[in-house]
C-alpha cells in the first residue's frame, strides 16, 4: 500500500491561538488527540528556517514542497506533498521553502 | 459577565489542509464540532481584504487587531483581541490589518 497523507483528524481538541514562528513565516495550530498524543497543523511560507526538537517528531508534507537537512547531514533532501521525514529528539532540522506555501502535519512522541 | 474569547475546542474534526486566501495573507483551518456546526481558526497578515459571506458568521478576534467595515456601512470599526463582530449572510465585509497578525475564530450559521 502506498503512503497517503492524512486529510482530517476526528475527536481532537484544538487550540484556537496559533503558534507563530519567524514573524509569522511559520504558523501552526496544536491538536491533542483522544489518546493524548500531540500534533500540529502548520504552514511554512517562503524562507529558510531552523527548528530544534525536544521530542522526536514526524513531519508529513501535505501540500507544497520544501527542502530539508537534518542535523549532522550534509545533503538537502526535497519533500513534496505526500512525503514525510522523521527528526530525532533533542536535535534540529533546517527547512527551506523556495516558493508557494508548504503545509505539514507534525506528530510528536 | 464579560466576554471571553474561546481558548480551545474539544471533540472536533479538523481538516489538515488549510484554506488559503489572498496568496496566503489569510489562512485558516476548518473545524466541525460535535453538534455539526462549523468554525474556522485563522490568521490574517497585514493587508486589506474583502470577504463575501454565504451563511451568517461571527468573527471573534483572539489575537492582534484589525479594522472592519461591514457592507453598506461607511465607518471602519477597530477590533482588538477579545472582541467580535457579526456579518449577515449573503453579504460581505472588508478587513484591514495594519501590522502584526490578527487571529480569529469564525463561526458559521
Amino acid at each position: 500500500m502506498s503512503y497517503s497523507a492524512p486529510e482530517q483528524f476526528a475527536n481532537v481538541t484544538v487550540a484556537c491561538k496559533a503558534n507563530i514562528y519567524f514573524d509569522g513565516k511559520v504558523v501552526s495550530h496544536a491538536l491533542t488527540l483522544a489518546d493524548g498524543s500531540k500534533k500540529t497543523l502548520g504552514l511554512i511560507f517562503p524562507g529558510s528556517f531552523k527548528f530544534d526538537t525536544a521530542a522526536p517528531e514526524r513531519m508529513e508534507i501535505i501540500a507544497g514542497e520544501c527542502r530539508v537537512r537534518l542535523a549532522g547531514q550534509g545533503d538537502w533532501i526535497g519533500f513534496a506533498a505526500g512525503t514525510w521525514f522523521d527528526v530525532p529528539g533533542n536535535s534540529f532540522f533546517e527547512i527551506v521553502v523556495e516558493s508557494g506555501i508548504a503545509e505539514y502535519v507534525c506528530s510528536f512522541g
Side-chain angles (χ1 to χ4, degrees), chain A:
Chain A
M1 299 215 314
S2 65
Y3 168 77
S4 174
E7 295 189 358
Q8 64 179 37
F9 295 108
N11 201 18
V12 305
T13 296
V14 59
C16 295
K17 178 86 185 60
N19 305 304
I20 298 178
Y21 306 100
F22 302 106
D23 294 327
K25 290 190 179 297
V26 181
V27 299
S28 70
H29 279 99
L31 311 180
T32 304
L33 278 69
D35 66 2
S37 63
K38 307 274 190 185
K39 295 181 188 288
T40 58
L41 304 179
L43 300 98
I44 308 176
F45 294 87
S48 175
F49 312 102
K50 176 174 175 284
F51 281 97
D52 296 313
T53 61
E57 57 188 61
R58 172 164 293 187
M59 284 281 287
E60 299 174 82
I61 306 301
I62 62 168
E65 53 191 26
C66 59
R67 286 184 295 119
V68 172
R69 184 165 66 175
L70 298 180
Q73 299 194 359
D75 292 337
W76 289 86
I77 301 174
F79 292 89
T83 63
W84 53 270
F85 58 94
D86 287 330
V87 188
N90 299 310
S91 183
F92 68 88
F93 65 100
E94 297 163 278
I95 187 164
V96 170
V97 173
E98 297 282 359
S99 64
I101 300 171
E103 294 186 61
Y104 65 86
V105 175
C106 183
S107 303
F108 298 94

